[in-house]
Amino acid sequence: MNEELNQEELIAGKHPVLEALRSGREINKIWIADGAQKSLTLPITAEAKKLGIIVQFVDKRKLDSMVTGVAHQGVIAQAAAFEYVEVEEILEIAKKKGEMPFILLLDEIEDPHNLGSILRTAECTGVHGVIIPKRRAAGLTATVLKISAGAAEHVPVARVTNLAQTIEKLKEAGVWIAGTDVSASQDVYKMKFDMPLAVVIGNESKGMGRLIGEKCDFLVKLPMLGQLNSLNASVAAGVLMYEVVRQRRSV
């Protein structure tokens, strides 16, 4: 996952990183130098595992280049640029507006440019909130915020440990789950979306995970008339979002 790193987002050193974790601050990722003393890093890796935060072991020179002139002790963390919300807050936003919930669930979208583009379209189409997993997925980094053209400031984003469990909670709240799958039998333009809805967008290369697909109430596909059988994740998400808007405006 290649992305720009804003110096203001980086926390360097064992104690600063550990305190950031224990304080509940949102952390996107942690880098630890290969060969770093386990006595220094074990508490950090243990805390990160408990919180579902990605830890990557890299050459010490990479850390040196990330925070020039700073004594990082072989540990650097990237803090979220913005605070995340709870899933319940997203549902409450829709309720306060007197609207049927319209939510996006992103199943391991890894490219920060895709996430930024999706957030921008989500803001334009009135999506009440976006839900992303903590593991193996892009978070709210400086790159995402830049690509979203400020939309990330207006679209609530929830970051959850278990996407499958979150889907079950949404179902209990009366939200229908629509998954996107190129092998689905149902064409998106033949499906009705005038209901409390959460749309799942799968990973750029693998699509939706098997378990997530099984949790969906129904699967839809975009018609493919050319030689390729898939669209860029952010483009596919945009088409689906605007189809929901079109249908709801005509109701």
Side-chain angles (χ1 to χ4, degrees):
M1 193 187 307
N2 295 320
E3 59 189 53
E4 300 168 18
L5 293 174
N6 188 323
Q7 289 286 329
E8 294 178 358
E9 294 177 345
L10 298 179
I11 304 170
K14 175 198 170 184
H15 293 297
V17 170
L18 194 54
E19 287 305 313
L21 288 168
R22 289 173 174 170
S23 71
R25 185 170 180 184
E26 291 288 350
I27 301 295
N28 289 327
K29 190 173 181 179
I30 296 173
W31 292 269
I32 295 177
D34 289 325
Q37 293 182 19
K38 286 193 175 181
S39 59
L40 285 174
T41 61
L42 191 57
I44 292 171
T45 54
E47 195 72 14
K49 183 177 181 180
K50 184 168 66 176
L51 297 171
I53 297 169
I54 296 170
V55 176
Q56 184 177 358
F57 290 86
V58 298
D59 191 292
K60 177 180 176 295
R61 289 172 294 184
K62 176 178 174 64
L63 302 188
D64 293 339
S65 66
M66 289 167 66
V67 286
T68 307
V70 176
H72 52 69
Q73 297 176 295
V75 182
I76 294 177
Q78 183 188 37
F82 278 81
E83 288 189 10
Y84 295 95
V85 302
E86 298 296 327
V87 174
E88 291 76 13
E89 293 178 66
I90 293 175
L91 293 170
E92 186 63 27
I93 289 169
K95 183 178 179 180
K96 286 182 178 179
K97 289 184 175 181
E99 300 171 349
M100 290 185 292
F102 182 18
I103 300 168
L104 285 186
L105 292 161
L106 307 184
D107 186 16
E108 298 184 8
I109 294 294
E110 297 178 305
D111 187 340
H113 292 82
N114 275 337
L115 177 56
S117 295
I118 289 170
L119 289 175
R120 186 171 184 174
T121 308
E123 199 282 328
C124 293
T125 54
V127 169
H128 297 111
V130 176
I131 301 173
I132 62 175
K134 287 184 177 181
R135 294 177 182 271
R136 297 183 293 275
L140 292 180
T141 64
T143 299
V144 170
L145 299 176
K146 181 179 179 181
I147 297 298
S148 77
E153 296 184 31
H154 306 287
V155 180
V157 178
R159 199 173 184 219
V160 299
T161 302
N162 190 310
L163 206 57
Q165 289 180 4
T166 299
I167 287 175
E168 289 299 330
K169 289 181 180 178
L170 289 173
K171 286 183 177 182
E172 291 172 7
V175 178
W176 290 76
I177 313 297
T180 53
D181 191 327
V182 293
S183 63
S185 59
Q186 188 68 50
D187 189 308
V188 66
Y189 298 120
K190 297 178 181 178
M191 188 66 206
K192 295 295 185 183
F193 293 125
D194 54 341
M195 62 185 78
L197 183 70
V199 178
V200 183
I201 305 296
N203 174 271
E204 291 92 345
S205 59
K206 299 179 293 184
M208 284 190 306
R210 180 188 56 81
L211 177 60
I212 299 302
E214 292 173 353
K215 293 283 184 182
C216 293
D217 292 304
F218 55 90
L219 301 176
V220 295
K221 66 179 179 181
L222 291 169
M224 295 292 163
L225 307 180
Q227 298 299 312
L228 303 180
N229 68 347
S230 65
L231 290 171
N232 171 277
S234 63
V235 174
V239 174
L240 285 159
M241 282 185 266
Y242 268 102
E243 176 58 16
V244 174
V245 170
R246 186 192 69 81
Q247 290 193 22
R248 290 189 174 187
R249 283 173 65 110
S250 62
V251 172

